């Protein structure tokens, strides 16, 4: 059974895509801890991020950096924080979270409630800033 993220990449489940290339896909988290909270995943389904081969992991981080720079241009923040947890979905992923203070990256609290239209607008802004 394919992970929910693999099904998103395949277009079986809708997402608010921010960016993609032949290896990686970036989309908004549907339960964001901050505005613009984005997930970066390899298109190849690999459960644990440290099981990704070194060269590909390097390319994934470079792709994530480009997404983070787009977030910085599109979302008001001081930086973009990065987290890797990967317990909810068995598909490696990086959380990129625009932050103004460290507590903005608290994953244990209440998530933001956003409409599909709000998420679509944020995704469009980040995507437009992606280079």
């Amino acid at each position: 059974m394919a992970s929910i993220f693999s099904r998103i990449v395949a277009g079986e489940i809708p997402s608010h895509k921010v960016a993609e290339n032949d290896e990686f896909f970036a989309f908004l988290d549907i339960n964001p801890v901050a505005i613009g909270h984005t997930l970066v995943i390899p298109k190849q389904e690999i459960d644990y991020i440290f099981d990704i081969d070194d060269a590909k992991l390097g390319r994934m981080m470079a792709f994530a950096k480009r997404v983070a720079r787009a977030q910085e241009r599109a979302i008001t923040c001081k930086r973009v924080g990065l987290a890797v947890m990967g317990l909810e979905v068995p598909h490696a992923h990086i959380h990129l979270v625009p932050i103004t203070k460290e507590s903005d990256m608290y994953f244990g609290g209440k998530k933001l409630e956003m409409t599909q239209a709000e998420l679509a607008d944020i995704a469009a802004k980040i995507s437009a800033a992606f280079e």
Side-chain angles (χ1 to χ4, degrees):
M1 179 78 179
S3 77
I4 190 169
F5 291 169
S6 289
R7 295 178 65 209
I8 287 170
V9 170
E12 297 171 18
I13 297 174
S15 70
H16 295 283
K17 180 174 74 171
V18 169
E20 77 175 306
N21 66 17
D22 59 331
E23 290 186 294
F24 309 109
F25 194 87
F27 57 100
L28 292 184
D29 191 308
I30 60 168
N31 294 304
V33 298
I35 292 172
H37 179 175
T38 300
L39 302 176
V40 173
I41 65 170
K43 288 183 175 180
Q44 177 187 12
E45 189 171 315
I46 300 170
D47 180 12
Y48 184 42
I49 197 160
F50 295 123
D51 287 339
I52 299 171
D53 74 72
D54 292 353
K56 185 174 200 160
L57 184 58
R59 292 190 303 274
M60 185 174 173
M61 288 302 296
F63 180 81
K65 178 180 176 179
R66 291 175 56 211
V67 173
R69 293 297 189 210
Q71 289 172 292
E72 290 170 343
R73 288 189 284 276
I75 307 292
T76 302
C77 63
K78 287 188 177 178
R79 333 199 128 166
V80 173
L82 181 146
V84 175
M85 292 176 283
L87 296 176
E88 288 184 10
V89 178
H91 191 134
H93 55 286
I94 295 170
H95 294 262
L96 297 176
V97 183
I99 61 174
T100 55
K101 58 190 180 308
E102 289 181 0
S103 61
D104 290 341
M105 284 199 60
Y106 179 62
F107 287 83
K110 188 173 189 246
K111 306 296 193 268
L112 298 181
E113 293 181 21
M114 304 188 76
T115 67
Q116 291 299 310
E118 290 170 324
L119 290 168
D121 182 57
I122 293 164
K125 287 177 181 171
I126 297 169
S127 185
F130 184 76
E131 296 176 349

